[in-house]
Amino acid sequence: MKRSPLIIVLILSLPLLIRAQELSIQSNILYWTTTTPNVTIEYGFTDKLSLNVLGSYNPWQYGSREENKKLKHWLVQPELRLWNCERNVGSFWGFHLQGGAFNAGGVKLPLRIWQGLKDNRYEGYFLGGGVSYGYQWILSPRWNLEATFGFGYSYIHYKQYECRRCGEYIGNGHHHYFGPTRIGVSIVYLVK
């Protein structure tokens, strides 16, 4: 219990320890095209090292209630970034982890990704990680544009149901996914 006051003091002093120029806020435009609201907070530790944490949430159902088409999910993806030259300018390499949950069905994804999703509904979670490469262009003193691509692995555990609303339980399973784990074109606001 003696540690409680120390922890409270550290939490309250955190805003004093973080200098504004070390913080940026981003949003991935590609996620918005799939109706997935998202926000990323990035904190710079040094001129060449930063921590980027993405959070996204898609609560929507598409079409009628009877069709039950949905890609509901949430995702948290922290990434440690090593900048080649200077933070928030030019290229970087990232090492990310990811985790989230989903409830999806009745939709056809491009590139033959998860073909059973058209005829069934899946609920579950995923965990994984990967490596990414990206580049940031300066648009103005406070605004940047970023493009990033990551490749990695995800373990996906799911329960499968018939696609119709409140469909019958079919079974459960898991999938080992290797492929793109981070794709983005983001607008970046540098807090100063």
Side-chain angles (χ1 to χ4, degrees):
M1 288 311 230
K2 292 181 180 181
R3 293 183 194 176
S4 296
L6 179 60
I7 292 171
I8 292 170
V9 168
L10 285 174
I11 290 171
L12 292 175
S13 65
L14 191 59
L16 300 174
L17 300 173
I18 297 175
R19 295 193 317 253
Q21 63 269 27
E22 296 172 346
L23 191 66
S24 69
I25 301 169
Q26 307 175 17
S27 191
N28 189 335
I29 299 164
L30 296 181
Y31 283 18
W32 284 99
T33 64
T34 65
T35 67
T36 304
N38 66 92
V39 67
T40 300
I41 305 294
E42 185 164 353
Y43 176 74
F45 296 104
T46 69
D47 287 342
K48 294 190 177 194
L49 185 65
S50 63
L51 178 64
N52 174 295
V53 180
L54 162 70
S56 67
Y57 176 62
N58 187 327
W60 320 117
Q61 181 167 314
Y62 311 102
S64 70
R65 189 173 178 158
E66 290 75 32
E67 289 176 305
N68 202 27
K69 293 182 179 183
K70 57 181 142 188
L71 280 172
K72 295 181 176 184
H73 67 276
W74 63 266
L75 163 72
V76 174
Q77 193 175 56
E79 179 175 64
L80 184 64
R81 291 183 168 183
L82 302 171
W83 294 83
N84 289 345
C85 190
E86 180 182 337
R87 192 177 67 247
N88 297 323
V89 178
S91 60
F92 62 86
W93 290 94
F95 304 94
H96 59 268
L97 299 174
Q98 63 183 14
F102 59 90
N103 183 355
V107 295
K108 184 178 180 182
L109 297 177
L111 306 173
R112 301 172 57 94
I113 297 172
W114 208 337
Q115 295 177 8
L117 201 57
K118 174 79 171 119
D119 301 317
N120 296 287
R121 183 174 66 82
Y122 295 86
E123 279 185 46
Y125 66 89
F126 57 94
L127 300 167
V131 178
S132 63
Y133 175 79
Y135 197 92
Q136 246 183 62
W137 294 271
I138 298 172
L139 300 177
S140 74
R142 289 188 182 227
W143 294 96
N144 284 1
L145 181 67
E146 176 182 295
T148 185
F149 178 80
F151 189 87
Y153 164 80
S154 286
Y155 172 79
I156 303 168
H157 185 272
Y158 60 85
K159 293 180 182 177
Q160 183 178 357
Y161 299 87
E162 290 181 352
C163 194
R164 67 179 183 268
R165 185 163 176 75
C166 298
E168 185 177 321
Y169 174 73
I170 295 172
N172 63 18
H174 66 274
H175 178 71
H176 299 278
Y177 167 81
F178 292 93
T181 51
R182 189 170 179 115
I183 298 174
V185 175
S186 300
I187 193 77
V188 180
Y189 178 73
L190 303 170
V191 180
K192 290 192 176 191

